[in-house]
Amino acid sequence: DVSPDINLEDIDPGAEYHESLYRELEGLDSQIVDVLHCCAIIGQRFQVSLIAKIFQVDILELLTMLQFAEERGLVVDRLPNDDIYEFKDKRIASVFRHSRNDNPKQIHQKIREYHRRYLNLRTEELENRYANLEEVPFTETLAMVAHAKFVSEAMPTKTIQWSLLASKQCEKRRLYGRAIEKLEPALSLVQNRTDVDISIESKIEILLLYAQLIIKIGDDSENAITSLKQAVALAKRLPAGESSKILLNIALLRATVSYQNRSFEEVIKIAKTIIDNPEVELWRQYRARFLSSISLDPKTQAEEKHNNLQQLLTDIEKLIGHEGSESDYQLQLLECEICNEFGKSFLFY
């Protein structure tokens, strides 16, 4: 019996179906096979004008090929005049993606070249369409990083660009696990290559974002600590004036990791260095005070913890609305965390 929840198109039709499609391919011109192989790599749906640029052929010539493929039941023009074709069936696209060839190395080289050309051309189109690539639709951004990861070694700068954008868009949607996944191509390049042509600040941004995401999902803290150590090493290469804020952010993140690891004495020690620094912005001082307060023993230091949180909340409420937008946001966020922590504090006080 077949469950009504199963999509019939997702069921593997078996070797006989694939063999019948391979026989269909044997009658096709090699150029059409190459074109459809590229289209399948790009996805179930594909933009005709973009494929024409990839193969550097006239669009009318390409449309003639696609019309022939449509007559063979391989692709279909769902909406005429919209520049989009799609494979008639997902299984047909799968066959083209895994089409048989006596030279697997040659196939892999072709696939990488398809991804490379697509990434270059599509990036150019999107840069011309949007003033800021952060405005690119979420699904489009995810598609771009999917192509980029296949050519990350050859195109590190574009890979980092799209990987970081995709990760940030996932983070905004609170898809933290997925954000880590999308950040991995950029993270790997920053951690493993020294010739990547991006600024030190951009490398630090990627390392800190990775640590923040790990903290949010409560994952392996060792990975977060490693990332923070690498960020410290990079920050120390910057001029003192530029590195100070970065090092403070790293210290706050390190204190947060230590709190998650229940290393409360270490949290209090790190927090003290931030609180005692007269040049630290108020919201960072208050964040350090918060981390220090919640690290107190809830049984033996309950009263001190409660009083510290109460005073901190009073101080923050006086400041909200009088600081800059970034500071206000951080203070409001901290205000919510303190209120949540009060619930735990009252259990012991």
Side-chain angles (χ1 to χ4, degrees), residues 47 49-50 83-84 121-133 135-137 140:
Q47 184 180 341
S49 56
L50 194 60
D83 195 34
I84 300 294
L121 291 165
R122 190 62 178 148
T123 297
E124 184 181 352
E125 285 186 356
L126 292 171
E127 286 176 342
N128 290 334
R129 185 182 303 174
Y130 297 97
N132 188 333
L133 288 179
E135 299 171 5
V136 174
E140 181 79 59

Side-chain angles (χ1 to χ4, degrees), residues 28-41:
L28 289 176
D29 181 84
S30 61
Q31 188 176 14
I32 297 178
V33 174
D34 284 344
V35 166
L36 293 178
H37 181 216
C38 173
C39 295
I41 295 300

Side-chain angles (χ1 to χ4, degrees), residues 296-308:
L296 296 173
D297 191 318
K299 293 183 179 179
T300 62
Q301 298 172 293
E303 183 176 357
E304 182 182 356
K305 176 181 178 180
H306 180 86
N307 290 338
N308 286 353

Side-chain angles (χ1 to χ4, degrees), residues 159-199:
T159 298
I160 288 171
Q161 176 187 36
W162 287 110
S163 178
L164 186 57
L165 281 169
S167 182
K168 286 180 176 179
Q169 288 200 18
C170 288
E171 184 190 23
K172 285 180 181 178
R173 291 163 173 78
R174 302 178 188 174
L175 303 171
Y176 302 128
R178 201 171 183 187
I180 290 175
E181 175 196 336
K182 299 306 174 187
L183 189 63
E184 283 174 354
L187 183 70
S188 177
L189 287 166
V190 167
Q191 290 181 329
N192 300 315
R193 284 182 55 171
T194 58
D195 61 337
V196 178
D197 187 24
I198 61 170
S199 67

Side-chain angles (χ1 to χ4, degrees), residues 92-107:
I92 296 174
S94 176
V95 168
F96 276 101
R97 275 195 298 273
H98 306 97
S99 58
R100 296 181 294 190
N101 191 287
D102 294 331
N103 190 343
K105 184 178 179 181
Q106 185 182 41
I107 284 293

